[in-house]
Structure formats: structure tokens, C-alpha cells
């Protein structure tokens, strides 16, 4: 059975490419998905890449990852800073999670410095743009069986 990783993206990330490019870069979410899947293929990892603007979808998808024994790469967007429900979902499953942000949240407004997702994640990659997704995949490749 191949290794499986869910890559979950939260609100407004569907607008990448045109959304504040000076902060988030010019790559679209589709571009990030394509380059990540190329890397994953070489490692024999199956990537399930998703985006939603709904908090409950993220909660459901974390449950699904847990049920399928899949690891998680999570960019929860603004829900990072607000969602106790998402933190609880991550804590309720056994899946390893790496939190990713395109921007460096610690360089930005104070309200972005706190992350509920971090409390339930193995680690966080923030500020390295799309490369953060690749690095999270490589880290999970070492930690999953
Ligand atoms: C983000 C950072 C969040 O603070 C913000 O709400 C986002 C994107 C990032 O990838 O840098 O939507 O998660």
C-alpha cells in the first residue's frame, strides 16, 4: 500500500495567484498542487490535494485522513488563528500533521502569531512560499511508514 498524504487548504487559498501576490506570491493553488504531486510521485507518495472555504469541511477531512491513516499537510488559512474545532479534530486523530503557511505569520500582524493548528502539529513551516509544501512532504516522508 502506498503512503498517503492529505494536503488540506483553507479559506481564500483558492484565490492564490491574484490574492495579495506581494505576500502570497504569484503561483496559483493549482501550480502548487502540480509541483507537489511531481515530488510525491518520485517518492511513491499518493497526494490528495483539497481546498475549501468552510471550516467544517476541514474538520471532516481531518477525520477522513485519520480513518485512512493518512498524514496531513495543513494550510488552514485564517482558521489557523481561530479554530479550536480544527485543533480538536487534529488531536482526535493519529495522523501526523505539518502546518504550512506561504507567508511568515510571525512577521505579520499580532493576531497571526497564535496558531491553534500548531498545538496539534508535528511542526510548522512558515514563510517559504510554495516550497513549504515540498519541505513538509519530505519531512512526512521520513515520519510515515
Ligand atoms: C496563510 C497565513 C494566514 O494568516 C492567512 O489568513 C492565510 C494564509 C499563509 O499561507 O501564509 O489565509 O495561512
Amino acid at each position: 500500500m502506498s503512503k498517503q498524504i492529505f494536503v488540506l487548504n483553507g479559506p481564500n487559498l483558492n484565490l492564490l495567484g491574484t490574492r495579495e501576490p506581494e505576500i502570497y506570491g504569484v503561483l496559483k493553488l493549482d501550480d502548487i498542487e502540480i509541483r507537489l504531486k511531481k515530488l510525491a510521485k518520485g517518492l511513491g507518495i499518493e497526494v490528495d490535494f483539497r481546498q475549501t472555504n468552510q471550516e467544517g469541511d476541514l474538520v471532516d477531512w481531518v477525520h477522513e485522513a485519520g480513518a485512512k491513516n493518512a498524514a496531513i499537510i495543513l494550510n488552514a488559512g485564517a482558521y489557523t488563528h481561530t479554530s479550536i474545532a480544527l485543533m480538536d479534530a487534529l488531536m482526535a486523530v493519529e495522523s501526523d500533521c505539518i502546518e504550512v503557511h506561504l507567508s511568515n505569520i510571525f512577521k505579520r500582524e499580532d493576531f497571526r502569531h497564535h496558531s491553534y493548528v500548531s498545538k496539534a502539529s508535528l511542526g510548522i513551516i512558515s514563510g517559504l512560499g510554495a516550497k513549504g509544501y515540498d519541505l513538509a512532504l519530505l519531512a512526512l516522508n521520513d515520519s510515515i511508514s
Side-chain angles (χ1 to χ4, degrees), residues 11 13 19 24 75 77-78 80-81 100-103 105 108 112:
L13 293 168
R19 175 192 181 199
Y24 298 114
N75 183 350
T80 303
H81 318 296
V100 169
H101 300 285
L102 296 157
S103 64
I105 57 173
R108 301 182 62 196
R112 295 185 203 275

Side-chain angles (χ1 to χ4, degrees), residues 1-7 31-49 71 73 130-131 133-142 144:
M1 202 175 77
S2 66
K3 303 176 196 178
Q4 200 182 9
I5 297 186
F6 277 31
V7 183
D31 301 326
I32 295 176
E33 177 176 359
I34 288 165
R35 56 177 274 169
L36 190 69
K37 284 190 169 165
K38 207 179 280 181
L39 176 65
K41 200 173 174 195
L43 296 168
I45 296 173
E46 190 191 319
V47 163
D48 194 329
F49 197 98
I73 295 172
K131 198 184 281 181
Y133 287 77
D134 299 348
L135 295 172
L137 188 86
L138 292 172
L140 285 171
N141 183 46
D142 290 343
I144 57 183

Side-chain angles (χ1 to χ4, degrees), residues 56-123:
D57 287 346
L58 290 173
V59 170
D60 286 343
W61 291 347
V62 167
H63 295 174
E64 189 183 334
K68 291 182 172 162
N69 212 15
I72 301 169
I73 295 172
L74 176 58
N75 183 350
Y79 291 136
T80 303
H81 318 296
T82 61
S83 181
I84 296 170
L86 190 52
M87 176 187 72
D88 283 348
L90 290 165
M91 283 179 167
V93 299
E94 301 219 328
S95 301
D96 284 341
C97 175
I98 296 191
E99 174 182 1
V100 169
H101 300 285
L102 296 157
S103 64
N104 182 348
I105 57 173
F106 302 103
K107 258 178 138 176
R108 301 182 62 196
E109 303 95 327
D110 285 355
F111 63 82
R112 295 185 203 275
H113 297 178
H114 178 265
S115 166
Y116 284 107
V117 170
S118 284
K119 295 193 179 296
S121 297
L122 276 182

Side-chain angles (χ1 to χ4, degrees), residues 49-60:
F49 197 98
R50 305 179 186 184
Q51 188 276 332
T52 180
N53 292 320
Q54 318 303 326
E55 183 177 8
D57 287 346
L58 290 173
V59 170
D60 286 343

